[in-house]
Amino acid sequence: MSLCPCQSGLNLESCCQTIIQNPAQARSALALMRARYSAYALQAMDFVYESTHPEARHDIDREAMEQWSRMAQWTGLDIIDPGHPDESRSVDDVEFKAHFLVQGVAQIHHERSQFRFDQGRWWFVDGQDLYSGPAERPKPYVREQKVGRNDPCPCGSGKKFKKCCAQQITA
C-alpha cells in the first residue's frame, strides 16, 4: 500500500484509485481534481481524458499531456480554494498548486479549474492557468554601486563623500 499522490494522507487504493478506475465515484469537484492530479503522477492519461467533459475535449493535446506527465516528477499538491462541498451545485471551481520537478528544477502549476456536474457525475470543463514555471523565480543580479572618496555623498548633503558619510563609517 502506498500513499495517494494527492497528499490526502490516505492510501492510493482507498482514495484516488477508485475514482481513476470509475470517474463516477467522485463525489465532488475537489475529489475529481485530486484524482486528476494523481492520474498525472501515475501517468493514467486515459482517465484525464475520460474525466474531461465531452464538450471540452476538442482542446486536448493527448501527446503533450502524456509527455508532461512522463517528464515530471510529481512532488505535491496544495489546495488553495477547495470549492463548495454542496452537492446541489452543478458548477464548481477548485484552485490548486501542483508541485513537480523537471530535470531537477522545482516547478509549480497554479490553476483555477472549473468542474460541472452533468449526466450524474462531475467533469473537468476548463482551467485558468494562474502561473506555470519555476517554483522560485530567479532574482536579478544587481551590481553594488561603489562611491569613490571624491564623489558626491549619496546622502545628498552636497559634500564630497570623504568629508561627509565616509567619516562616519571610519569613526
Side-chain angles (χ1 to χ4, degrees):
M1 286 195 317
S2 60
L3 289 177
C4 191
C6 80
Q7 296 187 318
S8 64
L10 301 172
N11 65 48
L12 176 62
E13 292 76 22
S14 62
C15 189
C16 290
Q17 187 67 42
T18 58
I19 298 170
I20 291 171
Q21 291 171 345
N22 181 2
Q25 294 291 321
R27 301 277 183 226
S28 66
L30 177 60
L32 184 59
M33 193 283 308
R34 284 182 171 281
R36 287 173 61 88
Y37 172 85
S38 293
Y40 274 99
L42 300 168
Q43 293 153 12
M45 295 297 98
D46 288 341
F47 167 76
V48 175
Y49 181 79
E50 293 299 324
S51 63
T52 302
H53 196 280
E55 293 174 4
R57 289 182 185 162
H58 63 279
D59 287 340
I60 293 179
D61 181 345
R62 285 185 80 156
E63 188 176 315
M65 200 168 57
E66 289 173 11
Q67 184 180 11
W68 186 37
S69 174
R70 281 192 308 273
M71 72 180 215
Q73 178 186 348
W74 300 90
T75 58
L77 177 66
D78 293 330
I79 305 301
I80 309 302
D81 181 354
H84 300 84
D86 182 2
E87 293 180 17
S88 67
R89 295 177 61 96
S90 61
V91 176
D92 204 357
D93 292 340
V94 177
E95 185 178 340
F96 67 92
K97 289 182 180 179
H99 300 269
F100 56 100
L101 300 172
V102 174
Q103 298 179 345
V105 177
Q107 305 281 320
I108 294 176
H109 176 73
H110 184 182
E111 180 178 305
R112 176 171 284 284
S113 294
Q114 184 182 50
F115 296 86
R116 182 186 320 160
F117 191 80
D118 188 24
Q119 305 167 23
R121 62 177 264 203
W122 282 100
W123 301 86
F124 170 78
V125 178
D126 197 10
Q128 178 188 7
D129 187 5
L130 301 174
Y131 174 77
S132 285
E136 196 172 301
R137 295 183 183 166
K139 295 175 179 47
Y141 174 74
V142 179
R143 201 168 110 196
E144 184 179 332
Q145 182 179 5
K146 296 194 180 218
V147 180
R149 291 177 34 80
N150 290 319
D151 290 339
C153 190
C155 75
S157 67
K159 298 179 183 178
K160 289 185 178 184
F161 180 64
K162 68 182 178 186
K163 296 284 186 181
C164 189
C165 292
Q167 291 178 336
Q168 295 171 4
I169 294 172
T170 57

